[in-house]
């Protein structure tokens, strides 16, 4: 198969992976709360995908994914445009410069992505008087539960990357 077609296939599969994670977060786990928090799988998906492709293509993908996330009308979608794009840039750059593209760095980057995204979202909601300051204690619980999806998203993103390189 031609390299151009493999590249197009890779990006289509990454988009489908992101859409699948988005559907899982909103449809399957949308109304359920686990230990009092909702899962935040979008930052995990962005971090895992961007660590596979690098910082420049990862930044473009993260920006496109965050725009789609915002256009769906998700809670905090406008904040996600900034936080998810920064997450994509940092995840891709750290894997290009420092980390290997393995599961442990994926877990670390996903943890940082969830904490950064949900922390900024919490601060914006607190500034707008939509939440109570005491709810910041739930942030580590939410990040820990969201990391349970990281091995699956990492595995699929790694397989997609191999399909694009083959």
């Amino acid at each position: 198969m031609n390299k151009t077609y493999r590249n197009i296939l890779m990006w289509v599969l990454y988009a489908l992976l992101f859409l699948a994670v988005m559907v899982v977060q909103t449809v399957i786990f949308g109304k359920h709360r686990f230990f009092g928090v909702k899962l935040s799988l979008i930052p995990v998906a962005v971090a895992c995908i961007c660590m596979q492709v690098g910082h420049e293509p990862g930044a473009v993908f993260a920006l496109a994914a965050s725009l789609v996330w915002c256009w769906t009308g998700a809670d905090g979608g406008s904040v996600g445009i900034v936080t998810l794009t920064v997450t994509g840039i940092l995840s891709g750059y750290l894997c290009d410069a420092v980390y290997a593209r393995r599961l442990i760095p994926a877990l670390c980057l996903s943890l940082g992505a969830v904490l950064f995204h949900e922390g900024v979202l919490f601060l914006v909601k607190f500034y707008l008087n939509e939440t109570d300051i005491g709810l910041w204690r739930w942030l580590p619980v939410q990040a820990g539960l969201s990391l349970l999806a990281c091995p699956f998203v990492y595995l699929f993103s790694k397989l997609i990357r191999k399909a694009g390189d083959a």
Side-chain angles (χ1 to χ4, degrees):
M1 189 184 295
N2 191 355
K3 184 175 177 159
T4 304
Y5 293 124
R6 286 194 313 256
N7 195 19
I8 291 171
L9 175 68
M10 179 185 73
W11 286 111
V12 167
L13 290 174
Y14 276 140
L16 290 175
L17 176 63
F18 178 76
L19 289 175
V21 169
M22 195 166 68
V23 166
V24 167
Q25 178 174 328
T26 57
V27 176
I28 296 175
F29 296 125
K31 294 187 179 190
H32 300 292
R33 291 188 177 266
F34 301 98
F35 302 105
V37 296
K38 287 187 176 183
L39 297 180
S40 181
L41 304 178
I42 298 296
V44 172
V46 168
C48 287
I49 291 171
C50 291
M51 74 176 282
Q52 294 294 332
V53 297
H55 63 284
E56 289 177 1
V60 174
F61 176 81
L63 179 61
S66 62
L67 286 172
V68 169
W69 181 241
C70 182
W71 289 335
T72 62
D75 183 34
S78 57
V79 172
I81 293 173
V82 175
T83 59
L84 294 177
T85 304
V86 169
T87 296
I89 293 168
L90 288 177
S91 297
Y93 178 74
L94 287 174
C95 282
D96 284 344
V98 179
Y99 296 134
R101 288 176 169 87
R102 303 210 190 270
L103 181 60
I104 299 300
L107 287 168
C108 295
L109 292 171
S110 296
L111 177 65
V114 172
L115 288 175
F116 176 63
H117 174 71
E118 292 298 328
V120 170
L121 183 61
F122 174 78
L123 290 174
V124 168
K125 284 184 176 184
F126 179 71
Y127 177 73
L128 297 174
N129 290 327
E130 293 181 10
T131 189
D132 183 29
I133 191 68
L135 294 178
W136 68 270
R137 294 183 302 243
W138 292 104
L139 189 60
V141 175
Q142 183 179 26
L145 289 175
S146 298
L147 280 185
L148 295 176
C150 182
F152 301 107
V153 176
Y154 169 76
L155 176 67
F156 286 121
S157 64
K158 184 177 179 180
L159 290 174
I160 291 171
R161 181 63 185 181
K162 283 186 179 179
D165 285 339

